[in-house]
Amino acid sequence: MIVVLLNVYLALLFVLVKFRIVPFNLFWKVSPVLVLLLLLIGLFIPMNWGAPQGPALAIRQSVAIVPDVAGEVIDVPVEPNTPLKAGAVLFKIDPVPYEAQVKALEAQFQLQQQRLAQMTQLQSTGSGRSFDVEQRQAEVDQLKAQLEGARWNLEKTVVRAPAAGYVTNLALRKGARVANLPLAPVMAFVDTAETVIGVEIQQIDARYIAAGQPVELTFKYAPGQVFTGKVETVLQAISTGQVQISGAAVTPKSIQAAPFAVRVKLDDQAIADKLPAGAAGDAAIFTDRVTAAHVIRKVLLRQIAITNYINPF
Protein backbone atom coordinates (compact mmCIF):
# COMPACT_ATOMS: atom_id res chain seq x y z
CA MET A 1 0.00 0.00 0.00
CA ILE A 2 2.83 2.38 0.77
CA VAL A 3 4.27 1.67 -2.69
CA VAL A 4 0.93 2.54 -4.28
CA LEU A 5 0.69 5.85 -2.42
CA LEU A 6 4.30 6.70 -3.26
CA ASN A 7 3.73 5.92 -6.96
CA VAL A 8 0.63 8.13 -6.93
CA TYR A 9 2.70 10.95 -5.50
CA LEU A 10 5.44 10.41 -8.09
CA ALA A 11 2.89 10.47 -10.90
CA LEU A 12 1.34 13.66 -9.51
CA LEU A 13 4.77 15.24 -9.11
CA PHE A 14 5.65 14.32 -12.70
CA VAL A 15 2.49 16.01 -13.99
CA LEU A 16 3.11 19.14 -11.92
CA VAL A 17 6.71 19.40 -13.13
CA LYS A 18 5.73 18.60 -16.73
CA PHE A 19 3.26 21.49 -16.85
CA ARG A 20 5.69 23.75 -14.95
CA ILE A 21 3.33 24.17 -12.02
CA VAL A 22 6.17 23.46 -9.59
CA PRO A 23 9.88 24.00 -10.28
CA PHE A 24 12.06 20.91 -10.47
CA ASN A 25 14.51 22.15 -7.84
CA LEU A 26 16.38 20.27 -5.09
CA PHE A 27 13.42 20.28 -2.71
CA TRP A 28 11.06 18.62 -5.19
CA LYS A 29 13.76 16.17 -6.20
CA VAL A 30 14.14 14.89 -2.63
CA SER A 31 10.42 15.23 -1.82
CA PRO A 32 9.67 11.53 -2.63
CA VAL A 33 12.09 10.55 0.14
CA LEU A 34 10.38 12.99 2.50
CA VAL A 35 6.95 11.66 1.57
CA LEU A 36 8.16 8.08 2.11
CA LEU A 37 9.43 8.95 5.59
CA LEU A 38 6.24 10.85 6.37
CA LEU A 39 4.10 7.88 5.33
CA LEU A 40 6.20 5.44 7.34
CA ILE A 41 6.55 7.45 10.54
CA GLY A 42 3.26 9.29 10.50
CA LEU A 43 0.88 6.68 9.12
CA PHE A 44 1.99 3.11 8.43
CA ILE A 45 3.97 2.41 11.61
CA PRO A 46 1.30 3.93 13.91
CA MET A 47 -1.33 1.98 11.94
CA ASN A 48 0.00 -1.22 13.51
CA TRP A 49 -1.39 -0.23 16.92
CA GLY A 50 -4.16 2.10 15.72
CA ALA A 51 -5.68 -0.59 13.51
CA PRO A 52 -3.84 -3.83 14.35
CA GLN A 53 -4.22 -6.87 12.13
CA GLY A 54 -3.68 -10.54 12.89
CA PRO A 55 -4.68 -14.09 11.96
CA ALA A 56 -8.20 -15.16 12.91
CA LEU A 57 -9.56 -18.62 13.67
CA ALA A 58 -13.08 -19.99 14.15
CA ILE A 59 -13.12 -22.18 17.27
CA ARG A 60 -15.78 -24.49 18.66
CA GLN A 61 -15.75 -26.26 22.01
CA SER A 62 -15.17 -30.00 21.84
CA VAL A 63 -16.45 -32.38 24.52
CA ALA A 64 -14.73 -35.70 25.12
CA ILE A 65 -17.60 -38.14 25.67
CA VAL A 66 -16.86 -40.51 28.56
CA PRO A 67 -19.73 -42.73 29.76
CA ASP A 68 -20.68 -42.63 33.44
CA VAL A 69 -21.04 -46.42 33.54
CA ALA A 70 -19.08 -49.29 32.02
CA GLY A 71 -20.43 -52.02 29.79
CA GLU A 72 -20.91 -53.39 26.30
CA VAL A 73 -22.21 -51.05 23.59
CA ILE A 74 -25.41 -52.43 22.06
CA ASP A 75 -26.36 -49.57 19.73
CA VAL A 76 -24.71 -46.53 18.10
CA PRO A 77 -27.55 -44.73 16.28
CA VAL A 78 -25.63 -41.51 15.68
CA GLU A 79 -24.05 -40.66 12.33
CA PRO A 80 -20.75 -38.75 12.12
CA ASN A 81 -20.85 -35.05 11.19
CA THR A 82 -24.65 -34.98 11.36
CA PRO A 83 -26.31 -32.13 13.31
CA LEU A 84 -27.84 -33.28 16.58
CA LYS A 85 -30.08 -31.62 19.13
CA ALA A 86 -29.24 -31.51 22.81
CA GLY A 87 -30.31 -34.79 24.43
CA ALA A 88 -30.09 -36.87 21.26
CA VAL A 89 -28.95 -40.47 21.83
CA LEU A 90 -25.27 -41.01 21.02
CA PHE A 91 -24.99 -44.67 22.00
CA LYS A 92 -26.47 -47.23 24.36
CA ILE A 93 -24.79 -49.56 26.85
CA ASP A 94 -26.22 -52.98 27.73
CA PRO A 95 -28.66 -52.17 30.58
CA VAL A 96 -29.26 -55.79 31.78
CA PRO A 97 -26.75 -55.74 34.72
CA TYR A 98 -28.06 -52.38 35.90
CA GLU A 99 -31.72 -53.41 35.55
CA ALA A 100 -30.99 -56.49 37.66
CA GLN A 101 -29.36 -54.33 40.32
CA VAL A 102 -32.38 -52.02 40.40
CA LYS A 103 -34.81 -54.95 40.73
CA ALA A 104 -32.79 -56.51 43.56
CA LEU A 105 -32.67 -53.23 45.48
CA GLU A 106 -36.40 -52.60 44.88
CA ALA A 107 -37.21 -56.01 46.37
CA GLN A 108 -35.02 -55.34 49.42
CA PHE A 109 -36.48 -51.86 49.78
CA GLN A 110 -40.07 -53.14 49.76
CA LEU A 111 -39.20 -55.82 52.32
CA GLN A 112 -37.54 -53.32 54.64
CA GLN A 113 -40.51 -50.98 54.32
CA GLN A 114 -42.82 -53.79 55.43
CA ARG A 115 -40.52 -54.61 58.35
CA LEU A 116 -40.44 -50.94 59.32
CA ALA A 117 -44.23 -50.78 59.26
CA GLN A 118 -44.44 -53.88 61.45
CA MET A 119 -41.89 -52.55 63.96
CA THR A 120 -43.70 -49.22 64.09
CA GLN A 121 -46.99 -50.96 64.79
CA LEU A 122 -45.43 -53.06 67.55
CA GLN A 123 -43.93 -49.97 69.13
CA SER A 124 -47.27 -48.16 69.06
CA THR A 125 -48.85 -51.03 71.04
CA GLY A 126 -45.96 -51.12 73.50
CA SER A 127 -44.67 -54.48 72.30
CA GLY A 128 -41.66 -53.24 70.44
CA ARG A 129 -38.55 -51.15 71.07
CA SER A 130 -37.86 -47.74 69.60
CA PHE A 131 -34.32 -48.91 68.83
CA ASP A 132 -35.66 -51.54 66.42
CA VAL A 133 -37.76 -48.92 64.66
CA GLU A 134 -34.78 -46.59 64.31
CA GLN A 135 -32.61 -49.40 63.01
CA ARG A 136 -35.21 -50.39 60.40
CA GLN A 137 -35.63 -46.75 59.40
CA ALA A 138 -31.87 -46.42 58.85
CA GLU A 139 -31.88 -49.57 56.72
CA VAL A 140 -34.79 -48.23 54.65
CA ASP A 141 -33.00 -44.90 54.12
CA GLN A 142 -29.80 -46.68 53.12
CA LEU A 143 -31.60 -48.88 50.60
CA LYS A 144 -33.45 -45.87 49.24
CA ALA A 145 -30.13 -44.10 48.58
CA GLN A 146 -28.68 -47.24 46.95
CA LEU A 147 -31.81 -47.58 44.80
CA GLU A 148 -31.51 -43.97 43.62
CA GLY A 149 -27.89 -44.61 42.67
CA ALA A 150 -28.80 -47.82 40.82
CA ARG A 151 -31.57 -46.05 38.90
CA TRP A 152 -29.13 -43.26 37.99
CA ASN A 153 -26.65 -45.87 36.68
CA LEU A 154 -29.44 -47.48 34.64
CA GLU A 155 -30.40 -44.12 33.17
CA LYS A 156 -26.77 -43.44 32.22
CA THR A 157 -26.64 -46.55 30.03
CA VAL A 158 -28.14 -44.26 27.40
CA VAL A 159 -25.49 -41.63 26.57
CA ARG A 160 -26.96 -38.42 25.18
CA ALA A 161 -25.60 -35.32 23.45
CA PRO A 162 -24.69 -32.65 26.02
CA ALA A 163 -25.66 -29.80 23.66
CA ALA A 164 -26.50 -29.04 20.06
CA GLY A 165 -23.66 -30.20 17.83
CA TYR A 166 -22.30 -33.23 16.03
CA VAL A 167 -20.00 -36.20 16.53
CA THR A 168 -16.86 -36.26 14.44
CA ASN A 169 -14.32 -38.98 13.67
CA LEU A 170 -16.70 -41.65 14.96
CA ALA A 171 -15.03 -45.02 15.54
CA LEU A 172 -17.29 -46.53 18.23
CA ARG A 173 -19.19 -49.62 17.10
CA LYS A 174 -21.69 -52.08 18.52
CA GLY A 175 -20.00 -54.74 20.61
CA ALA A 176 -17.22 -52.50 21.90
CA ARG A 177 -16.75 -52.34 25.65
CA VAL A 178 -16.50 -48.89 27.21
CA ALA A 179 -15.36 -47.83 30.66
CA ASN A 180 -16.04 -44.78 32.81
CA LEU A 181 -12.42 -43.66 32.83
CA PRO A 182 -11.62 -39.95 32.32
CA LEU A 183 -8.59 -40.80 30.18
CA ALA A 184 -10.56 -43.10 27.86
CA PRO A 185 -13.10 -41.01 25.90
CA VAL A 186 -15.06 -42.95 23.29
CA MET A 187 -15.98 -40.11 20.91
CA ALA A 188 -15.48 -36.41 20.30
CA PHE A 189 -18.56 -34.19 20.33
CA VAL A 190 -18.31 -30.72 18.75
CA ASP A 191 -20.58 -28.17 20.43
CA THR A 192 -22.13 -25.84 17.84
CA ALA A 193 -24.13 -23.78 20.32
CA GLU A 194 -21.44 -21.10 20.24
CA THR A 195 -18.74 -20.20 17.75
CA VAL A 196 -15.73 -18.36 19.15
CA ILE A 197 -13.64 -16.21 16.82
CA GLY A 198 -10.11 -15.76 18.12
CA VAL A 199 -7.65 -13.21 16.73
CA GLU A 200 -3.92 -13.18 17.49
CA ILE A 201 -2.43 -9.71 17.92
CA GLN A 202 1.24 -9.08 18.58
CA GLN A 203 1.91 -7.67 22.03
CA ILE A 204 3.43 -4.47 20.67
CA ASP A 205 0.19 -3.74 18.79
CA ALA A 206 -2.36 -4.77 21.45
CA ARG A 207 -2.02 -1.83 23.85
CA TYR A 208 -5.13 0.11 22.76
CA ILE A 209 -7.52 -2.77 22.08
CA ALA A 210 -10.69 -2.66 24.20
CA ALA A 211 -14.07 -4.39 24.30
CA GLY A 212 -16.66 -3.01 21.91
CA GLN A 213 -14.27 -1.84 19.21
CA PRO A 214 -15.28 -2.65 15.60
CA VAL A 215 -13.61 -5.52 13.78
CA GLU A 216 -13.51 -6.63 10.16
CA LEU A 217 -12.69 -10.22 9.22
CA THR A 218 -12.12 -12.27 6.11
CA PHE A 219 -11.79 -16.07 5.96
CA LYS A 220 -10.21 -18.48 3.51
CA TYR A 221 -13.49 -20.40 3.65
CA ALA A 222 -15.33 -17.38 2.22
CA PRO A 223 -12.90 -15.64 -0.19
CA GLY A 224 -13.73 -12.15 -1.32
CA GLN A 225 -16.05 -11.49 1.63
CA VAL A 226 -15.48 -9.18 4.59
CA PHE A 227 -17.50 -9.62 7.77
CA THR A 228 -17.98 -7.21 10.64
CA GLY A 229 -17.94 -7.79 14.37
CA LYS A 230 -17.03 -6.42 17.76
CA VAL A 231 -14.27 -7.12 20.26
CA GLU A 232 -15.66 -9.12 23.20
CA THR A 233 -12.56 -9.28 25.33
CA VAL A 234 -8.78 -9.44 25.32
CA LEU A 235 -7.68 -12.63 27.08
CA GLN A 236 -5.62 -11.65 30.09
CA ALA A 237 -3.30 -14.65 30.12
CA ILE A 238 -1.32 -16.88 27.78
CA SER A 239 0.45 -20.12 28.59
CA THR A 240 3.93 -18.59 28.61
CA GLY A 241 2.93 -16.44 31.60
CA GLN A 242 1.25 -19.23 33.51
CA VAL A 243 2.82 -20.80 36.59
CA GLN A 244 1.91 -24.42 37.22
CA ILE A 245 2.12 -26.33 40.48
CA SER A 246 5.44 -28.14 40.75
CA GLY A 247 7.82 -29.39 43.36
CA ALA A 248 10.80 -28.04 41.42
CA ALA A 249 12.48 -24.67 41.64
CA VAL A 250 12.07 -22.08 38.93
CA THR A 251 13.25 -23.48 35.62
CA PRO A 252 14.76 -20.87 33.28
CA LYS A 253 13.22 -20.84 29.85
CA SER A 254 13.47 -18.81 26.70
CA ILE A 255 11.13 -15.82 26.92
CA GLN A 256 9.43 -14.74 23.72
CA ALA A 257 6.75 -12.15 23.09
CA ALA A 258 3.95 -14.49 22.07
CA PRO A 259 0.85 -12.82 20.60
CA PHE A 260 -2.19 -12.07 22.74
CA ALA A 261 -5.58 -13.57 21.91
CA VAL A 262 -8.60 -11.35 21.30
CA ARG A 263 -12.10 -12.82 21.35
CA VAL A 264 -14.40 -11.40 18.66
CA LYS A 265 -18.14 -11.80 18.08
CA LEU A 266 -19.53 -11.45 14.56
CA ASP A 267 -22.46 -9.09 14.06
CA ASP A 268 -24.31 -11.77 12.07
CA GLN A 269 -24.51 -14.89 14.20
CA ALA A 270 -25.81 -16.91 11.25
CA ILE A 271 -22.47 -16.44 9.51
CA ALA A 272 -20.60 -17.60 12.61
CA ASP A 273 -22.78 -20.72 12.76
CA LYS A 274 -21.88 -21.60 9.16
CA LEU A 275 -18.12 -21.32 9.70
CA PRO A 276 -16.49 -24.73 10.17
CA ALA A 277 -14.33 -25.22 13.23
CA GLY A 278 -10.80 -24.32 12.21
CA ALA A 279 -11.77 -21.78 9.53
CA ALA A 280 -8.78 -19.44 9.29
CA GLY A 281 -8.44 -15.91 8.01
CA ASP A 282 -7.36 -12.40 8.93
CA ALA A 283 -8.92 -9.71 11.09
CA ALA A 284 -8.37 -6.00 11.63
CA ILE A 285 -9.35 -4.22 14.85
CA PHE A 286 -10.09 -0.50 14.66
CA THR A 287 -9.16 1.28 17.89
CA ASP A 288 -9.75 4.95 18.72
CA ARG A 289 -6.14 5.78 17.78
CA VAL A 290 -4.66 6.79 14.41
CA THR A 291 -8.09 6.93 12.78
CA ALA A 292 -6.55 8.27 9.56
CA ALA A 293 -4.99 4.84 9.01
CA HIS A 294 -8.29 2.96 9.34
CA VAL A 295 -9.15 3.48 5.68
CA ILE A 296 -5.78 2.05 4.61
CA ARG A 297 -6.26 -0.97 6.84
CA LYS A 298 -9.70 -1.57 5.35
CA VAL A 299 -8.21 -1.48 1.86
CA LEU A 300 -5.42 -3.88 2.84
CA LEU A 301 -7.91 -6.31 4.39
CA ARG A 302 -10.02 -6.30 1.23
CA GLN A 303 -6.92 -7.04 -0.81
CA ILE A 304 -6.36 -10.09 1.39
CA ALA A 305 -10.01 -11.10 0.92
CA ILE A 306 -9.58 -11.03 -2.86
CA THR A 307 -6.29 -12.93 -2.83
CA ASN A 308 -7.98 -15.65 -0.75
CA TYR A 309 -9.38 -16.92 -4.05
CA ILE A 310 -5.92 -18.07 -5.11
CA ASN A 311 -3.80 -18.06 -1.95
CA PRO A 312 -4.24 -21.29 0.06
CA PHE A 313 -1.97 -20.18 2.92
Side-chain angles (χ1 to χ4, degrees):
M1 190 64 184
I2 192 171
V3 175
V4 173
L5 293 177
L6 187 59
N7 287 336
V8 170
Y9 174 77
L10 291 174
L12 180 60
L13 179 61
F14 175 80
V15 172
L16 294 177
V17 172
K18 182 71 175 178
F19 290 95
R20 301 182 182 278
I21 299 176
V22 297
F24 195 54
N25 54 25
L26 180 61
F27 173 78
W28 291 108
K29 290 180 180 179
V30 300
S31 63
V33 178
L34 299 177
V35 171
L36 177 61
L37 293 176
L38 182 62
L39 289 174
L40 280 174
I41 299 174
L43 194 60
F44 279 88
I45 294 178
M47 180 178 65
N48 290 330
W49 64 76
Q53 179 179 326
L57 186 68
I59 305 169
R60 288 200 173 96
Q61 302 294 338
S62 178
V63 180
I65 301 298
V66 178
D68 292 303
V69 295
E72 181 183 347
V73 176
I74 60 173
D75 188 21
V76 186
V78 68
E79 294 292 333
N81 304 313
T82 302
L84 300 171
K85 295 182 179 180
V89 176
L90 299 180
F91 62 94
K92 297 180 181 180
I93 299 173
D94 188 2
V96 173
Y98 301 98
E99 289 175 347
Q101 185 179 13
V102 169
K103 291 178 181 179
L105 289 173
E106 285 177 342
Q108 295 179 33
F109 181 66
Q110 292 175 1
L111 176 62
Q112 291 301 329
Q113 281 186 316
Q114 293 177 2
R115 292 290 184 263
L116 175 61
Q118 293 170 355
M119 290 296 180
T120 304
Q121 185 177 7
L122 289 175
Q123 183 191 20
S124 62
T125 59
S127 302
R129 299 180 303 172
S130 59
F131 172 79
D132 295 333
V133 175
E134 293 172 355
Q135 184 179 16
R136 291 295 180 182
Q137 182 64 57
E139 292 175 353
V140 168
D141 293 341
Q142 182 180 7
L143 283 172
K144 182 179 180 180
Q146 293 178 359
L147 183 58
E148 290 177 354
R151 287 172 176 168
W152 183 86
N153 287 337
L154 177 60
E155 181 182 353
K156 292 302 179 179
T157 57
V158 179
V159 181
R160 301 181 180 276
Y166 58 90
V167 175
T168 186
N169 195 23
L170 179 63
L172 186 66
R173 293 293 184 268
K174 178 181 177 181
R177 184 167 184 84
V178 296
N180 55 338
L181 299 175
L183 299 180
V186 296
M187 62 175 58
F189 182 86
V190 179
D191 186 351
T192 58
E194 181 185 20
T195 302
V196 177
I197 307 297
V199 181
E200 285 190 346
I201 301 295
Q202 295 297 328
Q203 295 187 18
I204 193 173
D205 301 330
R207 69 193 81 168
Y208 300 122
I209 298 177
Q213 292 174 343
V215 181
E216 288 189 348
L217 309 95
T218 179
F219 293 94
K220 299 288 185 181
Y221 181 75
Q225 300 184 51
V226 176
F227 308 106
T228 59
K230 294 286 191 302
V231 174
E232 277 194 334
T233 182
V234 180
L235 302 187
Q236 298 299 313
I238 55 178
S239 61
T240 53
Q242 182 181 4
V243 176
Q244 297 181 352
I245 297 175
S246 172
V250 176
T251 302
K253 60 181 179 180
S254 177
I255 298 177
Q256 296 180 347
F260 288 145
V262 179
R263 179 166 175 164
V264 173
K265 183 176 183 181
L266 294 181
D267 292 334
D268 191 346
Q269 187 59 36
I271 295 175
D273 294 338
K274 293 179 181 178
L275 289 174
D282 290 89
I285 301 173
F286 302 100
T287 69
D288 55 357
R289 305 296 182 99
V290 200
T291 55
H294 290 187
V295 175
I296 297 177
R297 181 62 79 191
K298 289 176 181 287
V299 173
L300 292 174
L301 189 69
R302 280 154 179 78
Q303 289 178 351
I304 295 175
I306 295 173
T307 57
N308 282 340
Y309 279 107
I310 57 175
N311 183 13
F313 303 105

